[in-house]
Amino acid sequence: MPSAITFLSRLLTPKRWLHDKYISRAEAIGLSQAEEVAAMKPIVSSFCLIIGIYYCVVTANRFLSETGMALWMMFTLSAATAVISFYFHFIYLKRAQKVYQLNVASLTVNLFLFTNPVTFQALHYDPKRLVYFIFLTLMFAMTGISLRVIVPSIVVTLVTVAAMALAHQGYVSFENSAMIAVMIPTAVILAMVVRQTLFRAVESRVRAENLRAEAQSMADSDVLTGLPNRRNFFRVIEAALKRVSDGETSFHLALIDLDGFKPINDIYGHSVGDLLLIEVGSRLRQVCGQRAFVARMGGDEFAIILAGDVDKAALDSFGRQVCDALRDTYFLGGVTANISGSVGVVRCDSAQLTASQLLERADYALYFAKQNLRGAPVVFTEKHEAEMRDFSQVDQALRSSDLAAELSIMFQPQVDVVENRTISFEALARWNSAKLGSVRPDIFIKAAERSGLITEITLLLLEKSLSEVRGWPESTRVSFNLSARDLRSGISIANICNTVRKSGIDPHRIEFEITETAMLTDFEQACEALARLKAMGCRIAVDDFGSGYSSFSYIHRLPIDKIKIDRSFVVQLLKHGSALKIIKTIIDLCRNLNLDCVIEGVETQAEMSKLAQVRARYIQGYLFSKPLPAEQVISYLATETARIESALKAG
Ligand code: C2E
Ligand code: CA
Ligand code: CA
């Protein structure tokens, strides 16, 4: 009963019914009008073609079967049907882009198809020929474009059958009534079945296409942030390069690396790290909007392609917007975090460089941004280009040189100003290259770090340093610099431990210096590596403290013995009062945490006097001594001992 009521209500509200059966179905499977037209057009179009051909034959046949007025009427009607059908097939439907246009074609041809037999029956009524209308209803049912057209066509056709029978015979025969009664539901069901089948086919095609599009977009986007991924980035940059080579427009490529992401990931866990990356992604998307393409390259690295001619001011302002957006505080499920982003930018206005060469340059600018100007964009310049060339020269030379012969060590004293004696020497690498001459350590160490050669070089330098230390007094320690790379693998740490063991030197006399940045690159791995060195009895110092994140929050979690305050504070000592205050705070904190505190790079007596005010105890700098060649260490120590002894005697 309820279904009968539903059916009735649907019949009474045909619009809703049609909507449910037809429109909503198309909508539900996400068919756009264009897709719907594409799916249905072949049916109407071939229907028009067949009718056109059929009515050509019928038109010719009129001459055989008709005469006089009837001939002209029937001839005109069939010829018009053929012409109109061909018009729809060859012209109108070719251009049709809307569903209503398909309906217009289908309805018009239906009307002509209907008018032909009606006129024929009006001229010479033949009850047997009423069956012709049955074929019509079937044809309408099968070829109609929408139920809006099909249902009225069928109903009108069959009502006409009844009306004609009534008009000519005075009654509707049982056969005709039965035929009408059967044909209405048959035609409607047939129409629905045809349409359902068609929609299913279209639906599965659309589903397959959606799936393919989804798979494509998954392959092209980063799962975590939803941003385009590396692969997608390369496609976009290749297209941008193509536009440059076609002389259309230049573009800028920016690489962004987060500063301080790793410690957050390590300390608060990966889920907070993930939230942070998602937030970074959405902030970058917001800053870039429509004007730039942003992708996640992997890890905490992102890339932006800024199309079009952008002048320096606009580029600076864009870079600042990116940095400012990244610097805003992050609220990540109960955790508050602050990070910044380093940005390296390269401009591309000629097609001389490939995508990977551009990336290399942006990466170089990024490296520079990280080293020098945290949180501010660095644009790749001619100067960088020259440096990069030198850099690759250094890299080449490092690989092809006899490093065991060319590398040497200098030792710089660290002085206890309270006891007025040297407690330790920092081992500083020197490279006198046969090909390039003397190369600054910061340059060749960086090159070796980038190429991965550093782990080998570290072992070589450590061996050389320790063989010198063997000749020193037992009370003198050595400080040795390690790179981030040295901490990164268990194997390199094991090799370092072996070298220490083989040297026969008491590990308590060996101190390893590691920069904050190196420790925080992979906090967990660094903790593990330091724990192994510590377990042997070696000491650990944090180098260049204050030049990076300068956060005490992680210090207590690491097994360290010493902090070395970066030279940049000493440089500011005589200029800004705050530098001394900062140094004092760090010294006090070290005292509380029971850590030694060395101040690096003290050059003048004026600086030393300032430091005396805050009771700085351990000093390293040119004021006491420049780095000494290995062979001078013993005589330096002997002179120092003699001085101390004579001072004692005098005292
Ligand atoms: P660092 O570890 O911070 O070393 C201290 C640097 O400051 C040394 O530069 C030293 O000569 C310099 N210095 C010391 N006192 C003063 C001063 O009073 N004024 C000035 N202006 N400078 C002073 P150096 O020897 O050129 O080494 C530069 C950097 O190269 C080192 O910085 C360190 O990061 C790296 N390095 C040197 N040797 C090694 C090594 O064997 N292994 C590793 N991984 N890195 C090394
Ligand atoms: Ca150092
Ligand atoms: Ca240092």
Side-chain angles (χ1 to χ4, degrees), residues 426 481 513 515 542-545 564-567 600 620:
E426 177 173 5
N481 292 287
E513 294 190 4
T515 62
V542 177
D543 204 357
D544 303 344
F545 189 82
K564 295 182 80 179
I565 301 182
D566 194 61
R567 188 176 128 70
E600 276 192 293
Q620 178 181 351

Side-chain angles (χ1 to χ4, degrees), residues 408-410 412 426-430 440-445 449 454 457-458 461-462 465 480-484 486 513 515 543-544 564 566-567 570-571 600-604 607 620-627:
S408 63
I409 311 282
M410 300 273 264
Q412 188 180 30
E426 177 173 5
L428 294 162
R430 296 292 177 261
R440 275 180 25 212
D442 49 343
I443 291 178
F444 75 79
I445 294 285
E449 278 172 351
I454 189 72
I457 292 180
T458 296
L461 293 171
L462 184 60
S465 305
F480 187 85
N481 292 287
L482 290 184
S483 290
D486 294 317
E513 294 190 4
T515 62
D543 204 357
D544 303 344
K564 295 182 80 179
D566 194 61
R567 188 176 128 70
V570 178
V571 172
E600 276 192 293
V602 181
E603 291 184 356
T604 65
E607 287 164 354
Q620 178 181 351
Y622 295 168
L623 178 67
F624 291 94
S625 170
K626 288 207 162 181

